[in-house]
Amino acid sequence: QLQLQESGPGLVKPSETLSLTCTVSGGSISSSSYYWGWIRQPPGKGLEWIGSIYYSGSTYYNPSLKSRVTISVDTSKNQFSLKLSSVTAADTAVYYCARHCSPPVQCFDPWGQGTLVTVSS
Amino acid sequence: QSALTQPASVSGSPGQSITISCTGTSSDVGGYNYVSWYQQHPGKAPKLMIYDVSNRPSGVSNRFSGSKSGNTASLTISGLQAEDEADYYCSSYTSSSTHWVFGGGTKLTVL
């Protein structure tokens, strides 16, 4: 059974870079034609797609965050990562990693448990 | 403000049926059959309940069904059970550069 687990600091200072890693277990990140994504949920608000990556390294991002986001993959560790620079309080959210469904199906499944990142000095 | 519009809350009694709507535009919900629905219990990860408008993943109860008419998609839960009490989010692929949009979520209360 495929499982995803987010990890990283729970507190980041304003203007610094948020860094999170998603570790995939129960399957290989480089098998089949899956994209892997990051999605966030500010407290009390809805979900927002951040960006996604293919095992080859091909990426696409939400334009509203593109200038600050970098998503990378490490197939040797079966992980993919998120970096969000110049963070502000508005970036405080629960961050989820998820696998895209296998094309042509379009959805996200499964998701990690999520990790709360608070931006505060 | 979320790209897709959902009611903030709905409620129903055990055994009843409820429907949650998800309204978008012709660029997302209305333009593609790529609407999915997620169930989220407090403190838990979202769980895929419906994909591609009306398909259920293996293991999801057939009490959950999805449909779409124009720019509005709907999730119907029949035979409500206490365990269905959760937040529900819709999502759609979009032709805009945003690629993926979500609704603001609907809190389902089982009375």
Side-chain angles (χ1 to χ4, degrees):
Chain A
Q1 180 183 358
L2 190 77
Q3 292 186 318
L4 288 75
Q5 180 66 58
E6 305 87 350
S7 59
L11 181 65
V12 180
K13 289 182 168 56
S15 80
E16 295 190 345
T17 297
L18 177 161
S19 296
L20 296 175
T21 296
C22 181
T23 300
V24 178
S25 59
S28 173
I29 201 170
S30 55
S31 68
S32 303
S33 53
Y34 291 110
Y35 270 83
W36 305 83
W38 287 96
I39 297 155
R40 70 180 183 179
Q41 184 175 29
K45 296 186 178 181
L47 298 159
E48 178 183 36
W49 172 74
I50 299 170
S52 299
I53 190 167
Y54 195 53
Y55 77 92
S56 63
S58 174
T59 56
Y60 61 117
Y61 302 126
N62 187 323
S64 68
L65 298 168
K66 187 175 182 179
S67 64
R68 300 193 292 130
V69 173
T70 302
I71 297 176
S72 59
V73 64
D74 186 337
T75 55
S76 67
K77 294 183 179 179
N78 227 30
Q79 296 176 334
F80 62 105
S81 298
L82 168 71
K83 290 188 185 299
L84 180 65
S85 63
S86 306
V87 297
T88 68
D91 295 310
T92 294
V94 175
Y95 285 76
Y96 296 98
C97 57
R99 187 185 71 176
H100 285 248
C101 297
S102 180
V105 176
Q106 299 291 341
C107 57
F108 296 93
D109 181 56
W111 298 54
Q113 282 291 103
T115 186
L116 174 63
V117 178
T118 301
V119 178
S120 175
S121 56
Chain B
Q1 187 169 350
S2 299
L4 305 180
T5 301
Q6 298 180 234
S9 63
V10 298
S11 63
S13 299
Q16 288 185 332
S17 294
I18 64 94
T19 297
I20 300 171
S21 62
C22 171
T23 301
T25 68
S26 57
S27 295
D28 38 65
V29 173
Y32 303 91
N33 288 324
Y34 293 147
V35 176
S36 50
W37 289 90
Y38 303 87
Q39 175 192 65
Q40 186 179 35
H41 288 108
K44 300 296 186 180
K47 174 187 176 183
L48 178 67
M49 305 302 285
I50 296 288
Y51 66 89
D52 292 356
V53 175
S54 59
N55 295 283
R56 275 188 313 276
S58 174
V60 172
S61 171
N62 59 10
R63 297 185 299 104
F64 291 82
S65 62
S67 62
K68 188 184 82 167
S69 177
N71 295 336
T72 298
S74 298
L75 172 70
T76 298
I77 309 174
S78 59
L80 269 180
Q81 299 180 359
E83 66 204 49
D84 299 332
E85 186 163 292
D87 292 327
Y88 291 84
Y89 293 90
C90 63
S91 178
S92 175
Y93 179 80
T94 172
S95 60
S96 79
S97 55
T98 308
H99 294 290
W100 294 98
V101 288
F102 289 88
T106 298
K107 181 176 180 60
L108 168 62
T109 300
V110 180
L111 302 171

